[in-house]
Amino acid sequence: MEKKKPKEMTGAELASMLKSNIQFKSLGGMRSDDLTLPPEDKDWWRDAKIGMFIHWGVYSILGRGEWARFNEKIPKEIYEALADELIPEHFQVREWIDLAKDFGAKYTVMVARHHDGFALWNSEGSYEHFTSWHRAAHRDFVREYVDACREAGMKIGIYYSTMDWRFPGYFDPKGLPENAALMKKQCYDQVRELCSQYGPIDILWYDGSWLAHQGSDTSSAWFWEPVKLNRMARSFNPKMLINPRSGWEGDFYCDEGSHEIKGKIIPVPWEKNMCVCSGCSWGWMPDDPVSDFDWLIRMMVNVVCRGGNWLLNIAPDKNGKLSEEVTGRMRQIGVWLKTYGDSIYGTRGGPWQPVDDVYGSTWKGNTIYLHILDPKAFQREILPKLENEIEEAALFDGTAVAVEERPEGIRITLPERLTGKPEMEEPDVIVRLKMKQEVKGVEDREIYFTGKE
Ligand code: GLC
């Protein structure tokens, strides 16, 4: 049977379909049918919903963000000497994975090598052996990471930056092709090591494929040959999900940063990644303010009601440690997810399209979860009718909620204690609706975003 071609969409069409401020990265990637995973192979990831991202490396010593080497033009010898100070003696990677569990993550993505070139494993392919194994720490943090994840039943994601500032050829790939080729060789060798030496990897999360800090990951595909690269990666891990940032279109879309998520359900697999702190930097910065709990919960809810995954970044210091504010906030979210996780994990967005800042919905099986962000405003809303009938409506604590089916739609009346106060006490009021039949959500679509405006 001939494979159906996905619908093609430009940026303007995407924006008009979603009425959304979503900023997907790396659109218009190369395509290759043999790399496309069938939807059922992505189900575990879409059900997982919550992931934890970890940025840690030599830059964590300086505390000025992971771009410090480049932004401050730190000379190579000076920056590289720092690598011998990354010796976190009283630290085990397991501590991060324990935190990820408490936070409620079902998968983690650890930076194995960022743009500065420092590899956190025993990498033979590393140019000049700039690795945590060959330098003072003499540790393979990727090994410790995958072992800790497996022990904890955590799905394993690895972040890898294709580019590396140490190569002058990165900044001038056409003028210095031989040097650029060395960087490309390192990329292929290191991706092979990561995908073949650590057992099954669940997610390969690329970054930094744009060349000379120009264009995008996809405009540099002529250089990286991402289809070839990912065929090699998949030869070791046939079911691994791959993000779109190598220049191949990838298995899911990425939205990056702390901007709010508004608009309609996005009917494709997608993930928002952002920081638990201010988002000024992904790597450790002292006194980086931790974001407000209610704001974070509402962000997560806004993402999940629109069908996305939420990947939240932490930035440990050079000793691998996190402040109490950060661990406290992560655990606080975890406590919320312990209570309300049924309305998040394993769900899809819908069946109702969200109304920005007022409500959204998720569903699984015969249950719909209404996530109400503004109970007062919600009382004025009439929900569009469904074919399915509501059998029972209640808050998570069991309090029944009144439902009225009117000719123009459904009206749900919340208890007065939730609507009578000017200030909300809960970041998200959830009503669980038991339906007569299996819910029909907003169907996924196969869309190829061309990246054109
Ligand atoms: C951006 C930044 C990079 C960071 C990444 C996380 O690409 O340049 O430093 O690691 O976002 O998604």
Side-chain angles (χ1 to χ4, degrees):
M1 211 175 69
E2 209 197 318
K3 212 174 162 278
K4 230 176 70 207
K5 286 256 178 295
K7 180 177 164 48
E8 292 201 356
M9 248 187 212
T10 63
E13 285 169 316
L14 168 68
S16 111
M17 175 181 88
L18 301 172
K19 302 213 175 355
S20 152
N21 61 343
I22 197 95
Q23 296 166 18
F24 281 155
K25 288 258 173 187
S26 316
L27 299 182
M30 287 183 81
R31 317 198 48 201
S32 182
D33 279 350
D34 63 305
L35 283 177
T36 307
L37 284 183
E40 58 272 22
D41 286 346
K42 304 184 200 180
D43 278 347
W44 74 262
W45 182 83
R46 300 196 71 192
D47 289 346
K49 291 287 169 230
I50 310 295
M52 191 178 90
F53 209 178
I54 308 156
H55 274 70
W56 184 75
V58 170
Y59 47 82
S60 314
I61 297 170
L62 296 170
R64 299 193 294 272
E66 76 285 359
W67 276 64
R69 182 194 194 274
F70 176 79
N71 289 345
E72 299 173 19
K73 301 189 177 59
I74 302 175
K76 186 171 185 287
E77 316 70 59
I78 294 184
Y79 189 84
E80 291 184 3
L82 288 172
D84 287 325
E85 287 175 37
L86 199 71
I87 33 178
E89 279 170 48
H90 306 287
F91 162 73
Q92 303 293 327
V93 178
R94 200 181 317 114
E95 295 167 30
W96 296 340
I97 307 308
D98 286 346
L99 180 67
K101 276 210 113 160
D102 290 351
F103 162 57
K106 304 290 183 196
Y107 64 98
T108 47
V109 178
M110 183 180 89
V111 172
R113 180 173 81 58
H114 208 268
H115 314 332
D116 64 0
F118 188 67
L120 289 178
W121 73 101
N122 179 5
S123 173
E124 265 314 306
S126 165
Y127 176 67
E128 296 178 338
H129 281 165
F130 189 41
T131 83
S132 60
W133 182 263
H134 297 90
R135 303 301 288 263
H138 194 58
R139 279 169 72 172
D140 185 331
F141 293 107
V142 170
R143 172 81 57 207
E144 294 181 26
Y145 168 67
V146 295
D147 286 351
C149 286
R150 288 203 179 104
E151 209 176 293
M154 188 67 72
K155 291 280 192 179
I156 304 170
I158 290 186
Y159 165 112
Y160 180 78
S161 161
T162 47
M163 66 96 141
D164 182 334
W165 290 315
R166 295 178 302 153
F167 294 88
Y170 165 70
F171 297 93
D172 186 7
K174 293 210 164 121
L176 299 167
E178 280 169 24
N179 188 264
L182 268 186
M183 173 176 71
K184 182 174 170 184
K185 181 179 181 316
Q186 172 182 266
C187 166
Y188 276 68
D189 287 348
Q190 291 195 317
V191 169
R192 184 176 301 105
E193 291 171 5
L194 291 169
C195 290
S196 65
Q197 295 177 4
Y198 296 93
I201 301 299
D202 302 299
I203 305 160
L204 182 56
W205 213 104
Y206 289 108
D207 187 22
S209 300
W210 62 90
L211 288 169
H213 293 313
Q214 277 164 17
S216 72
D217 301 318
T218 45
S219 61
S220 303
W222 65 270
F223 176 78
W224 298 108
E225 299 182 89
V227 168
K228 189 166 125 189
L229 177 66
N230 288 309
R231 277 192 187 137
M232 180 269 285
R234 278 271 179 73
S235 72
F236 302 107
N237 295 301
K239 305 262 180 203
M240 175 172 72
L241 271 77
I242 304 177
N243 81 344
R245 298 175 70 170
S246 63
W248 165 62
E249 65 168 333
D251 296 304
F252 56 90
Y253 290 93
C254 281
D255 178 83
E256 180 180 281
S258 302
H259 53 270
E260 308 260 348
I261 294 291
K262 295 190 192 280
K264 291 194 178 175
I265 295 167
I266 305 170
V268 292
W270 68 280
E271 178 186 65
K272 179 184 184 68
N273 67 91
M274 56 177 273
C275 299
V276 68
C277 292
S278 71
C280 301
S281 135
W282 298 82
W284 179 72
M285 286 199 311
D287 310 319
D288 193 5
V290 179
S291 295
D292 177 71
F293 171 70
D294 284 10
W295 183 79
L296 287 164
I297 294 291
R298 292 157 74 91
M299 178 70 86
M300 166 174 68
V301 166
N302 278 327
V303 168
V304 177
C305 286
R306 288 163 179 79
N309 278 19
W310 195 49
L311 181 65
L312 190 64
N313 182 65
I314 56 158
D317 68 13
K318 67 172 183 178
N319 297 313
K321 304 291 175 185
L322 293 150
S323 70
E324 270 173 33
E325 286 78 15
V326 170
T327 55
R329 182 67 79 243
M330 298 298 281
R331 295 204 166 97
Q332 196 183 5
I333 297 170
V335 168
W336 189 93
L337 279 165
K338 270 220 156 71
T339 312
Y340 301 111
D342 270 353
S343 72
I344 301 287
Y345 300 118
T347 65
R348 296 291 180 273
W352 290 297
Q353 288 291 351
V355 173
D356 291 341
D357 304 318
V358 181
Y359 75 95
S361 57
T362 55
W363 70 276
K364 76 181 150 201
N366 284 17
T367 309
I368 299 174
Y369 302 93
L370 255 178
H371 294 265
I372 299 162
L373 303 175
D374 183 341
K376 250 197 154 122
F378 178 74
Q379 289 313 176
R380 295 188 290 270
E381 295 284 337
I382 303 278
L383 306 179
K385 283 192 151 192
L386 300 173
E387 280 168 31
N388 209 340
E389 252 175 83
I390 300 172
E391 253 184 3
E392 203 185 292
L395 300 175
F396 261 60
D397 66 6
T399 314
V401 167
V403 178
E404 224 182 304
E405 304 252 8
R406 297 183 180 178
E408 69 273 24
I410 305 163
R411 216 199 126 100
I412 293 184
T413 310
L414 298 171
E416 223 201 286
R417 68 179 157 88
L418 294 171
T419 53
K421 292 186 204 129
E423 284 286 306
M424 270 190 78
E425 279 175 13
E426 296 275 327
D428 175 24
V429 170
I430 308 171
V431 177
R432 188 180 356 217
L433 301 169
K434 283 236 153 64
M435 308 302 288
K436 272 231 161 92
Q437 283 132 27
E438 168 111 5
V439 179
K440 260 200 238 130
V442 171
E443 257 179 58
D444 278 353
R445 308 223 339 240
E446 256 204 77
I447 303 174
Y448 174 68
F449 298 114
T450 62
K452 293 189 192 112
E453 276 314 302

